Amino acid sequence: MIGYFLKSGDETVSDMFSPYLWMDYGFSTLFEKRFSEKSYGNDLTLLLIKYYVEGKFEINGPRNLKVNNYLKKDKDISVDIAVRENQFHKRSEIERRKFIVDSTRSAVTNVRKKLENKNFSCNFGELLSDLNVISEEYLGV
């Protein structure tokens, strides 16, 4: 249901950011282990969160979080999030994890707002509830 994409300014930054999403205890890994078989409705099969992480080179990410258009044919939507050096790179381990959790929640909440006035089958409340469960595990709460 939730997928992640990473574009970074250099390999070092990518190697720093990736484990927070995909390695053994990455947020995406934990979510998939727990909820991979769960369906949240008929109209959304993928909510793709795309991180544009600043590195040595300029990134072409958005200035602010940007919810893209829903693609009815593919039943997906994406959210672009720019990650500046001061938001992630120079932060502590727990602050980095909180950034991943907060940006994921924000992406889901903003997609919900964008699609709320449409006749749309997706249980965003349940998705956010499940994210809270994984967030507690991920943050070690």
Side-chain angles (χ1 to χ4, degrees):
M1 172 56 163
I2 294 179
Y4 293 92
F5 169 84
L6 172 63
K7 182 174 183 179
S8 65
D10 61 68
E11 191 174 325
T12 304
V13 170
S14 179
D15 290 345
M16 174 192 54
F17 198 89
S18 293
Y20 291 92
L21 298 174
W22 296 298
M23 300 301 181
D24 291 340
Y25 297 103
F27 194 74
S28 179
T29 305
L30 293 174
F31 189 83
E32 285 183 31
K33 282 181 183 176
R34 196 65 124 5
F35 300 110
S36 65
E37 301 297 318
K38 194 166 186 178
S39 174
Y40 295 95
N42 299 323
D43 291 333
L44 189 62
T45 57
L46 176 64
L47 191 160
L48 182 64
I49 300 172
K50 301 189 296 186
Y51 288 107
Y52 294 86
V53 186
E54 186 175 68
K56 288 185 216 175
F57 307 105
E58 188 74 25
I59 55 170
N60 293 325
R63 285 252 178 247
N64 299 310
L65 181 143
K66 178 186 175 211
V67 178
N68 296 300
N69 290 329
Y70 171 71
L71 300 175
K72 189 173 186 173
K73 177 184 168 196
D74 298 324
K75 295 183 178 182
D76 68 11
I77 193 164
S78 64
V79 178
D80 299 342
I81 300 173
V83 182
R84 305 292 175 213
E85 192 172 338
N86 64 344
Q87 293 175 298
F88 191 84
H89 305 39
K90 296 177 181 179
R91 301 289 180 147
S92 70
E93 174 76 13
I94 194 69
E95 289 174 319
R96 288 177 177 182
R97 287 177 177 266
K98 284 180 181 178
F99 177 85
I100 298 296
V101 167
D102 292 345
S103 61
T104 298
R105 282 184 187 145
S106 183
V108 172
T109 301
N110 279 281
V111 166
R112 179 186 207 174
K113 285 178 188 174
K114 182 169 184 152
L115 300 175
E116 72 185 349
N117 293 332
K118 299 182 183 338
N119 187 12
F120 198 78
S121 170
C122 184
N123 190 338
F124 287 105
E126 190 173 347
L127 176 58
L128 286 166
S129 177
D130 290 346
L131 282 174
N132 288 335
V133 169
I134 296 303
S135 297
E136 287 179 12
E137 182 178 347
Y138 183 70
L139 295 172
V141 176

